[in-house]
Amino acid sequence: MIQKEFLVLLAVLASLCYIYIKRAKTGPFSHLPLPPGPKRLPLIGNLLDMPATAQTYHRWSTEFDTDIIYLDIAGSKMIVLDTVDAAFELLEKRSAKYSSRARLTMVNELMGWDFALGFMEYGSVCQISHETHRRQRRRLMHNSFHPVAATLFQPHLLKATRNLLKRYLDIPDDIVGNIRNMTRDIILSITYGLDVQPEDDPFIEVAERAIEGSLIASMPGAFLVNLFPVLKYVPEWFPGAGFQKKARVWKNYGIKMIESPFSATKRNMASGESPHCFVSMNLQEMDGHNPDQENDIKLTAGSMYSAHLMLSAQTLSAISSCILGFLENPEVLKKAQAEIDRTVKPGFLPDFEDYDSLPYITAITMETLRWRVVGPIGVPHLLTEEDEYKGYRIPAGTTVIANSWAMLHNEDVYPDPSSFNPDRFMQDGKLNTSVRDPGHACWGFGRRYMAFSSVWIAIASLVAVFDITKAVDKHGKVIEPSHEYSPTLIRIPKPFKCSMNPRSLEAEKLIRASVA
């Protein structure tokens, strides 16, 4: 994904003066050494090592016996945190310094994603001039999605999950695609009160293209313009400036993603047909006709929609990975079905009220999130002022990422980490609270109110009504799943085959009755 060699040279030459000035600055910790890291070449530093995988970062940490490694990417500074202790100390305890986001020129400036709260760079000129609106949008988001308010959306999760069960009856071969449709149902319904069209939904198609672009553009080292903002002035026609065309296309999708569903919800509200959702709820509470307030609601909805579409990709990843876990460990599925059968009332599907009675389902959910980490590398943070950690200097302006994969595959915390073993979270038939909950790292360092719930209810429901086994071909030969994943910021299993059959005729009837 690194661009052409001559563009690298152009970027380096254009940045030499900038690098010299930045390095000449001193601070309170200027006398301390930088954290260890792989060998850096003159001028370009570790540029040729990028983009690196979570496993590569962890290997470097092991080689240098450190939980923090330093990389210099042609003058742009980056550290990678390899342990929970390091991430908690810096990203949580010192969040005032580390809560900003990296500039990400490709995403925020060329693609126009500065509307999205998750990509906002704290203290930027744009934000200072619009600080009131930023606070308003965060308030709108918090009021609708703090833990108590989020329970209002549980009916949306149940409806989408039961639609998923029916899809497996009707289209049993589309394992990953059916889950993708479920996650679409959830976020479009919660945000805009809209139902996903069975095929080629226009809102979803546009949004997923926009999200795909943002995920690609956010990968550390994927685009040089993120490292050298001066490149944003290179015209699209210039040789090697293909990133400009990509940014333009992705920006158009982003604009449509914000505008189209919001307008549809307003039309539905005018005709009295909009159900409870984020947009309708906040528009109804608006003080008369206030264009600024309406714009805040629209942009917050767009931010929430995009954030939860990313989160829905994580949900898709987790549920698909759980099915892969069942295929390789059929005894786990049988044990889960036994828990469901003795707990959930006959003739009913699992509900959120059953949560406390289904600890093994919870353990499966936790193990799924740990086993195949949905986001091995977290969204980059930005250090706003020079800091010190374990005797090392971390310069201001450093991009900071947490290696979630390494944290969730730490053998000292999770023995035999490559195995799918929900029992590691169980003790005497109950959840073992002494084992670290993977939630600290699997969603990135921040709060995720509905993500775990959507994965949990989907797993519980699938276990209740389906037998999940490896598929066989026409000759009776078992088809082994590939366990291949997409190489993006959020890892999603590539399509695979398995057999998804109702456990009984009663189970099939129950599924169809639940969506009637």
Side-chain angles (χ1 to χ4, degrees), residues 221-252:
F223 286 93
L224 288 175
V225 71
N226 284 333
L227 303 175
F228 309 107
V230 68
L231 291 177
K232 70 180 180 179
Y233 299 111
V234 176
E236 186 177 314
W237 53 263
F238 194 83
F243 68 92
Q244 291 281 20
K245 180 179 179 180
K246 291 180 179 179
R248 175 172 53 81
V249 171
W250 288 335
K251 181 176 182 177
N252 288 335

Short mmCIF file of all heavy atoms in Angstrom, two decimals, residues 221-252:
data_model
loop_
_atom_site.label_atom_id
_atom_site.label_comp_id
_atom_site.label_asym_id
_atom_site.label_seq_id
_atom_site.Cartn_x
_atom_site.Cartn_y
_atom_site.Cartn_z
N GLY A 221 0.54 3.95 8.20
CA GLY A 221 1.50 3.77 7.12
C GLY A 221 0.89 3.48 5.77
O GLY A 221 1.62 3.29 4.79
N ALA A 222 -0.44 3.46 5.67
CA ALA A 222 -1.07 3.11 4.40
C ALA A 222 -0.96 4.21 3.36
O ALA A 222 -0.83 3.93 2.16
CB ALA A 222 -2.55 2.76 4.64
N PHE A 223 -1.03 5.48 3.80
CA PHE A 223 -0.96 6.60 2.86
C PHE A 223 0.07 7.62 3.37
O PHE A 223 -0.02 8.10 4.51
CB PHE A 223 -2.33 7.27 2.70
CG PHE A 223 -3.30 6.46 1.89
CD1 PHE A 223 -4.18 5.58 2.50
CD2 PHE A 223 -3.32 6.56 0.50
CE1 PHE A 223 -5.07 4.83 1.76
CE2 PHE A 223 -4.20 5.80 -0.26
CZ PHE A 223 -5.08 4.93 0.37
N LEU A 224 0.99 7.98 2.51
CA LEU A 224 2.04 8.91 2.89
C LEU A 224 1.51 10.28 3.25
O LEU A 224 2.13 11.00 4.03
CB LEU A 224 3.06 9.03 1.76
CG LEU A 224 3.96 7.81 1.55
CD1 LEU A 224 4.83 8.00 0.33
CD2 LEU A 224 4.81 7.55 2.78
N VAL A 225 0.36 10.65 2.71
CA VAL A 225 -0.18 11.98 3.01
C VAL A 225 -0.54 12.10 4.49
O VAL A 225 -0.58 13.20 5.05
CB VAL A 225 -1.40 12.29 2.11
CG1 VAL A 225 -2.61 11.43 2.51
CG2 VAL A 225 -1.76 13.78 2.16
N ASN A 226 -0.80 10.99 5.16
CA ASN A 226 -1.03 11.02 6.61
C ASN A 226 0.26 11.34 7.36
O ASN A 226 0.23 11.90 8.46
CB ASN A 226 -1.59 9.69 7.10
CG ASN A 226 -3.06 9.53 6.76
OD1 ASN A 226 -3.79 10.51 6.62
ND2 ASN A 226 -3.51 8.29 6.63
N LEU A 227 1.38 10.96 6.77
CA LEU A 227 2.67 11.22 7.39
C LEU A 227 3.21 12.59 6.99
O LEU A 227 3.87 13.26 7.79
CB LEU A 227 3.67 10.14 6.98
CG LEU A 227 3.28 8.69 7.29
CD1 LEU A 227 4.31 7.73 6.73
CD2 LEU A 227 3.13 8.50 8.80
N PHE A 228 2.92 13.00 5.76
CA PHE A 228 3.41 14.27 5.22
C PHE A 228 2.23 15.07 4.70
O PHE A 228 1.88 15.00 3.52
CB PHE A 228 4.43 14.03 4.10
CG PHE A 228 5.52 13.08 4.49
CD1 PHE A 228 5.57 11.80 3.98
CD2 PHE A 228 6.51 13.48 5.38
CE1 PHE A 228 6.58 10.93 4.35
CE2 PHE A 228 7.52 12.61 5.75
CZ PHE A 228 7.56 11.33 5.23
N PRO A 229 1.59 15.84 5.57
CA PRO A 229 0.39 16.59 5.16
C PRO A 229 0.60 17.50 3.96
O PRO A 229 -0.36 17.80 3.23
CB PRO A 229 0.04 17.39 6.41
CG PRO A 229 0.59 16.57 7.54
CD PRO A 229 1.85 15.99 7.02
N VAL A 230 1.83 17.93 3.70
CA VAL A 230 2.08 18.80 2.56
C VAL A 230 1.67 18.15 1.25
O VAL A 230 1.36 18.84 0.27
CB VAL A 230 3.58 19.22 2.54
CG1 VAL A 230 4.46 18.02 2.21
CG2 VAL A 230 3.82 20.35 1.54
N LEU A 231 1.64 16.81 1.21
CA LEU A 231 1.27 16.12 -0.01
C LEU A 231 -0.20 16.33 -0.40
O LEU A 231 -0.58 16.03 -1.52
CB LEU A 231 1.54 14.61 0.14
CG LEU A 231 3.01 14.20 0.20
CD1 LEU A 231 3.13 12.70 0.40
CD2 LEU A 231 3.75 14.62 -1.07
N LYS A 232 -1.01 16.86 0.51
CA LYS A 232 -2.41 17.10 0.16
C LYS A 232 -2.55 18.14 -0.94
O LYS A 232 -3.60 18.23 -1.60
CB LYS A 232 -3.20 17.52 1.39
CG LYS A 232 -2.89 18.91 1.92
CD LYS A 232 -3.72 19.23 3.15
CE LYS A 232 -3.40 20.63 3.69
NZ LYS A 232 -4.23 20.95 4.88
N TYR A 233 -1.49 18.93 -1.16
CA TYR A 233 -1.52 19.95 -2.21
C TYR A 233 -1.10 19.40 -3.57
O TYR A 233 -1.18 20.12 -4.57
CB TYR A 233 -0.62 21.12 -1.81
CG TYR A 233 -1.06 21.80 -0.54
CD1 TYR A 233 -0.29 21.69 0.62
CD2 TYR A 233 -2.25 22.52 -0.48
CE1 TYR A 233 -0.69 22.30 1.81
CE2 TYR A 233 -2.66 23.13 0.70
CZ TYR A 233 -1.87 23.02 1.83
OH TYR A 233 -2.28 23.62 3.00
N VAL A 234 -0.63 18.16 -3.62
CA VAL A 234 -0.26 17.56 -4.90
C VAL A 234 -1.53 17.31 -5.70
O VAL A 234 -2.46 16.67 -5.22
CB VAL A 234 0.50 16.24 -4.68
CG1 VAL A 234 0.82 15.57 -6.01
CG2 VAL A 234 1.78 16.49 -3.90
N PRO A 235 -1.64 17.81 -6.94
CA PRO A 235 -2.87 17.64 -7.73
C PRO A 235 -3.10 16.19 -8.13
O PRO A 235 -2.16 15.39 -8.22
CB PRO A 235 -2.63 18.53 -8.95
CG PRO A 235 -1.14 18.63 -9.07
CD PRO A 235 -0.62 18.60 -7.66
N GLU A 236 -4.34 15.89 -8.39
CA GLU A 236 -4.73 14.51 -8.70
C GLU A 236 -4.05 13.99 -9.95
O GLU A 236 -3.77 12.80 -10.07
CB GLU A 236 -6.25 14.44 -8.85
CG GLU A 236 -6.80 13.04 -9.04
CD GLU A 236 -8.32 13.02 -9.10
OE1 GLU A 236 -8.95 13.68 -8.25
OE2 GLU A 236 -8.87 12.36 -10.01
N TRP A 237 -3.78 14.87 -10.92
CA TRP A 237 -3.19 14.44 -12.19
C TRP A 237 -1.70 14.14 -12.07
O TRP A 237 -1.10 13.55 -12.97
CB TRP A 237 -3.40 15.51 -13.27
CG TRP A 237 -2.94 16.89 -12.89
CD1 TRP A 237 -3.70 17.91 -12.41
CD2 TRP A 237 -1.60 17.40 -12.96
NE1 TRP A 237 -2.94 19.02 -12.16
CE2 TRP A 237 -1.64 18.73 -12.50
CE3 TRP A 237 -0.36 16.86 -13.34
CZ2 TRP A 237 -0.50 19.54 -12.42
CZ3 TRP A 237 0.77 17.66 -13.27
CH2 TRP A 237 0.69 18.98 -12.82
N PHE A 238 -1.08 14.55 -10.96
CA PHE A 238 0.36 14.37 -10.81
C PHE A 238 0.69 12.88 -10.70
O PHE A 238 -0.01 12.14 -9.99
CB PHE A 238 0.85 15.12 -9.57
CG PHE A 238 2.33 15.28 -9.50
CD1 PHE A 238 2.96 16.32 -10.18
CD2 PHE A 238 3.11 14.40 -8.76
CE1 PHE A 238 4.34 16.48 -10.11
CE2 PHE A 238 4.49 14.55 -8.70
CZ PHE A 238 5.11 15.60 -9.38
N PRO A 239 1.74 12.42 -11.39
CA PRO A 239 2.10 11.00 -11.31
C PRO A 239 2.31 10.54 -9.87
O PRO A 239 3.04 11.20 -9.10
CB PRO A 239 3.41 10.93 -12.12
CG PRO A 239 3.33 12.07 -13.07
CD PRO A 239 2.62 13.16 -12.33
N GLY A 240 1.70 9.44 -9.50
CA GLY A 240 1.85 8.91 -8.15
C GLY A 240 0.86 9.45 -7.15
O GLY A 240 0.88 9.06 -5.99
N ALA A 241 -0.03 10.39 -7.59
CA ALA A 241 -0.99 11.00 -6.66
C ALA A 241 -2.35 10.31 -6.74
O ALA A 241 -3.40 10.97 -6.63
CB ALA A 241 -1.12 12.50 -6.96
N GLY A 242 -2.34 9.02 -6.90
CA GLY A 242 -3.60 8.28 -6.97
C GLY A 242 -4.43 8.38 -5.71
O GLY A 242 -5.65 8.18 -5.74
N PHE A 243 -3.77 8.70 -4.58
CA PHE A 243 -4.51 8.85 -3.33
C PHE A 243 -5.54 9.97 -3.43
O PHE A 243 -6.56 9.93 -2.75
CB PHE A 243 -3.55 9.09 -2.17
CG PHE A 243 -2.85 10.42 -2.21
CD1 PHE A 243 -3.37 11.53 -1.57
CD2 PHE A 243 -1.64 10.56 -2.88
CE1 PHE A 243 -2.73 12.76 -1.61
CE2 PHE A 243 -0.99 11.78 -2.93
CZ PHE A 243 -1.54 12.88 -2.29
N GLN A 244 -5.28 10.98 -4.25
CA GLN A 244 -6.22 12.10 -4.40
C GLN A 244 -7.53 11.63 -5.03
O GLN A 244 -8.62 12.05 -4.61
CB GLN A 244 -5.59 13.21 -5.24
CG GLN A 244 -4.44 13.95 -4.57
CD GLN A 244 -4.92 14.98 -3.56
OE1 GLN A 244 -6.05 14.92 -3.07
NE2 GLN A 244 -4.06 15.93 -3.23
N LYS A 245 -7.44 10.79 -6.03
CA LYS A 245 -8.65 10.26 -6.66
C LYS A 245 -9.44 9.40 -5.68
O LYS A 245 -10.67 9.49 -5.58
CB LYS A 245 -8.30 9.45 -7.90
CG LYS A 245 -9.51 8.87 -8.61
CD LYS A 245 -9.13 8.09 -9.86
CE LYS A 245 -10.37 7.51 -10.54
NZ LYS A 245 -10.02 6.74 -11.76
N LYS A 246 -8.72 8.55 -4.94
CA LYS A 246 -9.39 7.71 -3.94
C LYS A 246 -10.10 8.58 -2.90
O LYS A 246 -11.25 8.31 -2.52
CB LYS A 246 -8.38 6.78 -3.25
CG LYS A 246 -7.83 5.70 -4.16
CD LYS A 246 -6.84 4.82 -3.41
CE LYS A 246 -6.30 3.73 -4.32
NZ LYS A 246 -5.32 2.86 -3.62
N ALA A 247 -9.42 9.63 -2.44
CA ALA A 247 -10.01 10.51 -1.44
C ALA A 247 -11.28 11.18 -1.98
O ALA A 247 -12.27 11.31 -1.27
CB ALA A 247 -9.00 11.57 -1.01
N ARG A 248 -11.23 11.62 -3.24
CA ARG A 248 -12.40 12.28 -3.84
C ARG A 248 -13.59 11.33 -3.92
O ARG A 248 -14.73 11.70 -3.58
CB ARG A 248 -12.04 12.80 -5.23
CG ARG A 248 -13.22 13.40 -5.99
CD ARG A 248 -12.74 14.08 -7.27
NE ARG A 248 -11.94 13.21 -8.10
CZ ARG A 248 -12.45 12.29 -8.94
NH1 ARG A 248 -13.76 12.10 -9.00
NH2 ARG A 248 -11.64 11.55 -9.69
N VAL A 249 -13.35 10.12 -4.37
CA VAL A 249 -14.44 9.13 -4.49
C VAL A 249 -15.01 8.80 -3.12
O VAL A 249 -16.22 8.79 -2.91
CB VAL A 249 -13.93 7.86 -5.19
CG1 VAL A 249 -14.98 6.75 -5.13
CG2 VAL A 249 -13.56 8.16 -6.63
N TRP A 250 -14.13 8.54 -2.15
CA TRP A 250 -14.59 8.19 -0.80
C TRP A 250 -15.30 9.36 -0.13
O TRP A 250 -16.24 9.17 0.63
CB TRP A 250 -13.40 7.73 0.04
CG TRP A 250 -12.88 6.38 -0.36
CD1 TRP A 250 -13.57 5.38 -0.98
CD2 TRP A 250 -11.55 5.87 -0.16
NE1 TRP A 250 -12.77 4.29 -1.18
CE2 TRP A 250 -11.53 4.55 -0.70
CE3 TRP A 250 -10.39 6.39 0.40
CZ2 TRP A 250 -10.38 3.76 -0.67
CZ3 TRP A 250 -9.25 5.60 0.42
CH2 TRP A 250 -9.24 4.30 -0.10
N LYS A 251 -14.87 10.59 -0.43
CA LYS A 251 -15.53 11.76 0.14
C LYS A 251 -16.97 11.86 -0.35
O LYS A 251 -17.89 12.16 0.42
CB LYS A 251 -14.76 13.03 -0.23
CG LYS A 251 -15.39 14.30 0.35
CD LYS A 251 -14.54 15.52 0.05
CE LYS A 251 -15.15 16.77 0.68
NZ LYS A 251 -14.29 17.96 0.46
N ASN A 252 -17.19 11.62 -1.62
CA ASN A 252 -18.55 11.67 -2.17
C ASN A 252 -19.45 10.64 -1.50
O ASN A 252 -20.62 10.92 -1.20
CB ASN A 252 -18.52 11.45 -3.68
CG ASN A 252 -17.94 12.63 -4.44
OD1 ASN A 252 -17.98 13.76 -3.95
ND2 ASN A 252 -17.38 12.39 -5.61
#
